[in-house]
Amino acid sequence: MTIKKDASPVVSIDAKPYAFSFPLKHTALLVIDMQRDFLLAKGFGEIQGGNLADVQASIAPTRKLLEASRGAGLTVVHTREGHVPDLSDCPSSKLVRQAAAPDNTQHKLTIGERGELGRLLVRGEYGHDIIDELRPLPGEVVIDKPGKGTFWNTTILHKLKARAITHLIVSGVTTECCFATSIREANDRGFECCGIEEATSGYNDTNFKCATLDMIHWSQGLFGFIASLQPLLDALEPFGDARGSSASTPPQTPPDFDGDLAITSLQKAYKKGLSPVTLAETLYNKIEAYQKVDPAVWIHLESKENVMEAAKALAAKYSDRSALPPLFGVPFSVKDSIDVAGLPTTTACPPLAHIPSASAVVYNKVISEGALFIGKTNLDQLATGLTGCRSPYGITHSVFNKDYISGGSSSGNAVSVGANLVSFSLATDTAGSGRVPAGFNGVVGYKPTRGLISFRGVTPACISLDCIAITAKNVSDARTIWQLTEGHDEEDAYAKPEIAYERHVDSIGPQAKSFKFSIPPAEALDICSHVHRRLFNETVKRLQSLGGTLTPINWTPFQRGGELLYDGTFVSERLASLPDGWFAKNRALLHPVIVELMDKVVARNSSAVDAYRDLQAKALYTRQAEKVFAQSAAGTDVLVVPTAPNHWRIDEVLADPIRKNSILGEFTHCGNVLDLCGVAVPAGTYPLAELAGTKEAGVLPFSVTFLGGSRMDASVLEIARRFEESFAPSS
């Protein structure tokens, strides 16, 4: 066993046909089908004539492997084979073949018929679930699969890529069937796989196990590797304490809260005994102090008493610190266009305020994972604007300098995270609203592919372009929130299907670290301030040093697609999102800049012909953008742009609100029109004096955005994470 200790430890263990090396951060334990139906008496396996003594031999070793993997912080994925109750996902060949065999005297029961553990291999039945000894912990992935392989007709490839997994350690049953099939499927998709000999077994190990394992590692690892359990346990053991072993006992005296609100840091602190009550107490002292610095962050701030009660309820509900949900006690805010039951949703527009009886789907998801709600944040009115200067609830400012804009429309979201008042915030993005304010406050702003996170329960701006955005402290935290909140919502008219084509993984060799990136042409970058242009040039050099190859592209679809948003008829959808006649009746109550914008929309008197032409242009530019991101020699992996061309003072924006706002969207507007995903990432700071041309003290943040094609979120996030990591000090 050898261990390479650095920012991303790489472990190597003896295996067949040669040593198996795997990076801890990018490795998952895959536990195949450890279900009652396959492992217990009277289950499907025994009915089929399986030898239970053989197959049960894998339970104890798998438990040891599972505990060691959890302790070392590996991603854990469980699978369950079974079918929906109406068997519509079960092919007839699987349903009847064995029972219909001419010489069959073994059994006459088939899938779906009732046995002593319930209907055989049917989801929701007692026999379908995982045995008690190996039950999944909160936050671990459970994949229900209709076939013997794990990748057919499931979301596992997407979920592994979303977690940046490239290597799999595989265990489970049965060796000759689902175990081997899953390894072969994973191999086809580019994963490096290692099966653990003692942690897998079948119903006839004497005849099949050795041959099956030999076929996997035959011919210099044709399908993968095979290793013994003990060397792997020895290799994982040094990482158990560092990552927080699930078997560890919390100390007698709970630790103090150290102020680090990153999700991974809080997860470790809570496992060591930190109380969410302690966090809430400390956090509210900071929130109250920051209100003197910037009183415009919140539209609704939960009372300290309410948050303390919620924290106490969490502590009581999850007393077992080894089985905490992934967002246990993690504080968050939401943009005040997102519904929280019983609280007004204002969209920074009091005449449009309403009190919903149900919360938004995305809010409910993070609450169900243990998150701690702190309040609703300020925004540009009607979620229209990129400056943060268009709200009747006040103007927020950058956490870096009180004279400089926070960005919008998700202004309060970014400030609440940048000022260390919450760990993450749920925002929205229509034209760059989740990216620009993140850039101006030194945090990460992630706009997933539209339709991956439900938009139900959110007041729309342009419903055909809107999407949920995530503001977080770092890329990994943004990715965590995405994983926990995404999912197909059949009630959301714009939701994307859950299963889609996913590209393969490059897990080893030069391809594992190399990527192609593209940038706007020089003439497009001329709009940037001199300091933003300088730092963007440095970004290009940094990406090249990380293995990126600068690749030329056709910039036209991004430029023209972005122009469609406000120069075309799509802006009319902002009026269409309001009730009929509402604008005319309430114009005197709106922010003057919003009134000016809406008046210009009305004055255009756009026709249906204009709208259809823009829809046709959108389709054309979207298809052209797809070609830019094509999986081909001419395609690129990511388009990298400055998040914003400039960072203005508040008084500069107030003096010229519409033109300044338009410039801010130069590199963001195309994202929603062309159905791209994007993540804004801090890319250093610069002296304020360099931007202002004066002797002003202090610094401002610079940010770049990584844009990718529709549903390329996992790949884009991983390149962004590597870029972010390159700024971390060497350990």
Side-chain angles (χ1 to χ4, degrees), residues 166 477 512 565 668:
T166 57
D477 281 5
L565 191 59
T668 63

Side-chain angles (χ1 to χ4, degrees), residues 294-301 333-338 346-350 375-385 387-397 406-416 425-428 433 437 441 471 591:
D294 188 346
V297 177
W298 306 94
I299 290 179
H300 168 82
L301 178 65
S333 62
V334 302
K335 188 174 185 174
D336 195 21
S337 58
I338 298 175
T346 71
T347 321
C349 183
K376 306 189 80 175
T377 57
N378 201 359
L379 66 151
D380 279 330
Q381 191 171 73
L382 299 179
T384 300
T387 66
C389 299
R390 300 177 177 179
S391 172
Y393 296 96
I395 296 175
T396 58
H397 59 73
S406 64
S409 63
S410 307
S411 53
N413 300 80
V415 174
S416 66
S425 191
L426 300 176
T428 67
S433 298
N441 289 279
T471 310
H591 192 282

Side-chain angles (χ1 to χ4, degrees), residues 521-594:
E523 58 270 22
L525 293 168
D526 284 343
I527 197 172
C528 295
S529 68
H530 66 283
V531 63
H532 280 214
R533 184 66 186 270
R534 174 179 68 79
L535 288 169
F536 188 69
N537 290 342
E538 292 180 10
T539 293
V540 171
K541 293 177 182 177
R542 183 179 291 267
L543 289 168
Q544 289 173 319
S545 73
L546 294 174
T549 299
L550 186 57
T551 304
I553 59 162
N554 174 18
W555 176 246
T556 300
F558 304 97
Q559 177 187 342
R560 294 184 177 173
E563 292 169 350
L564 280 177
L565 191 59
Y566 284 107
D567 295 344
T569 56
F570 284 98
V571 70
S572 300
E573 191 173 11
R574 292 189 181 269
L575 275 177
S577 297
L578 299 172
D580 288 343
W582 186 91
F583 172 64
K585 294 176 184 177
N586 293 275
R587 56 182 292 119
L589 302 175
L590 300 180
H591 192 282
V593 177
I594 299 298

Side-chain angles (χ1 to χ4, degrees), residues 24-105:
L24 283 181
K25 283 185 179 179
H26 303 287
T27 300
L29 171 65
L30 181 58
V31 185
I32 304 288
D33 296 359
M34 298 297 280
Q35 300 163 242
R36 298 184 182 110
D37 252 338
F38 294 132
L39 294 168
L40 300 188
K42 309 301 182 181
F44 182 76
E46 188 179 52
I47 290 171
Q48 294 274 317
N51 184 327
L52 286 187
D54 275 4
V55 79
Q56 289 174 353
S58 63
I59 296 175
T62 298
R63 184 172 185 175
K64 291 180 180 178
L65 176 57
L66 184 58
E67 290 175 352
S69 298
R70 287 169 172 164
L74 269 64
T75 295
V76 176
V77 180
H78 306 260
T79 72
R80 300 181 298 198
E81 182 182 350
H83 300 276
V84 295
D86 65 5
L87 302 185
S88 57
D89 61 349
C90 185
S92 59
S93 60
K94 180 179 181 181
L95 184 64
V96 302
R97 179 189 295 136
Q98 288 169 293
D103 299 324
N104 174 49
T105 57

Side-chain angles (χ1 to χ4, degrees), residues 417-481:
V417 176
N420 211 38
L421 309 181
V422 294
S423 298
F424 71 94
S425 191
L426 300 176
T428 67
D429 191 308
T430 304
S433 298
R435 292 163 277 162
V436 170
F440 288 164
N441 289 279
V443 295
V444 168
Y446 168 43
K447 186 205 87 65
T449 298
R450 191 172 58 86
L452 296 187
I453 298 177
S454 174
F455 203 73
R456 274 199 302 135
V458 184
T459 302
C462 292
I463 188 63
S464 70
L465 301 178
D466 293 334
C467 67
I468 292 293
I470 297 164
T471 310
K473 292 192 162 297
N474 53 57
V475 175
S476 293
D477 281 5
R479 184 159 56 191
T480 294
I481 301 303

Side-chain angles (χ1 to χ4, degrees), residues 31-328:
V31 185
I32 304 288
D33 296 359
M34 298 297 280
Q35 300 163 242
R36 298 184 182 110
D37 252 338
F38 294 132
L39 294 168
L40 300 188
K42 309 301 182 181
F44 182 76
E46 188 179 52
I47 290 171
Q48 294 274 317
N51 184 327
L52 286 187
D54 275 4
V55 79
Q56 289 174 353
S58 63
I59 296 175
T62 298
R63 184 172 185 175
K64 291 180 180 178
L65 176 57
L66 184 58
E67 290 175 352
S69 298
R70 287 169 172 164
L74 269 64
T75 295
V76 176
V77 180
H78 306 260
T79 72
R80 300 181 298 198
E81 182 182 350
H83 300 276
V84 295
D86 65 5
L87 302 185
S88 57
D89 61 349
C90 185
S92 59
S93 60
K94 180 179 181 181
L95 184 64
V96 302
R97 179 189 295 136
Q98 288 169 293
D103 299 324
N104 174 49
T105 57
Q106 220 166 269
H107 66 91
K108 292 297 181 183
L109 291 179
T110 60
I111 293 169
E113 295 187 291
R114 185 160 298 280
E116 293 191 26
L117 303 185
R119 293 181 64 200
L120 300 177
L121 289 191
V122 169
R123 297 175 191 179
E125 297 289 333
Y126 179 78
H128 175 258
D129 214 352
I130 294 167
I131 60 174
D132 293 342
E133 300 96 311
L134 304 175
R135 67 183 181 276
L137 293 180
E140 294 179 349
V141 179
V142 178
I143 297 293
D144 283 321
K145 60 189 186 71
K148 298 174 176 64
T150 297
F151 289 79
W152 158 246
N153 205 19
T154 76
T155 60
I156 188 170
L157 179 56
H158 171 70
K159 291 186 180 296
L160 292 174
K161 289 183 66 177
R163 290 158 175 79
I165 299 300
T166 57
H167 290 61
L168 297 174
I169 294 170
V170 188
S171 65
V173 299
T174 61
T175 308
E176 66 277 6
C177 186
C178 299
F179 172 88
T181 304
S182 295
I183 287 180
R184 291 185 177 212
E185 286 184 334
N187 172 265
D188 281 343
R189 288 153 180 84
F191 293 96
E192 283 285 271
C193 300
C194 183
I196 305 304
E197 184 172 359
E198 297 88 342
T200 182
S201 56
Y203 293 123
N204 192 336
D205 280 355
T206 301
N207 290 323
F208 298 138
K209 182 172 180 176
C210 183
T212 301
L213 298 183
D214 283 349
M215 281 191 288
I216 289 171
H217 70 77
W218 178 78
S219 187
Q220 300 307 304
L222 183 62
F223 300 111
F225 299 77
I226 298 296
S228 297
L229 177 61
Q230 194 57 49
L232 179 56
L233 298 180
D234 293 340
L236 294 178
E237 192 275 333
F239 300 98
D241 292 337
R243 300 272 182 120
S245 173
S246 60
S248 63
T249 302
Q252 292 292 320
T253 303
D256 293 330
F257 174 49
D258 63 4
D260 188 349
L261 287 177
I263 293 174
T264 50
S265 299
L266 284 179
Q267 288 172 337
K268 293 175 183 178
Y270 284 132
K271 281 187 177 181
K272 291 178 181 178
L274 174 68
S275 169
V277 177
T278 301
L279 176 137
E281 180 75 42
T282 306
L283 196 61
Y284 261 76
N285 292 336
K286 185 173 182 64
I287 290 172
E288 290 166 2
Y290 198 78
Q291 285 189 293
K292 298 176 182 178
V293 177
D294 188 346
V297 177
W298 306 94
I299 290 179
H300 168 82
L301 178 65
E302 282 284 86
S303 69
K304 182 177 179 179
E305 292 72 24
N306 282 355
V307 174
M308 293 291 284
E309 286 302 312
K312 290 176 184 177
L314 279 172
K317 183 177 181 179
Y318 299 105
S319 57
D320 182 358
R321 291 302 174 98
S322 68
L324 297 177
L327 296 182
F328 174 82

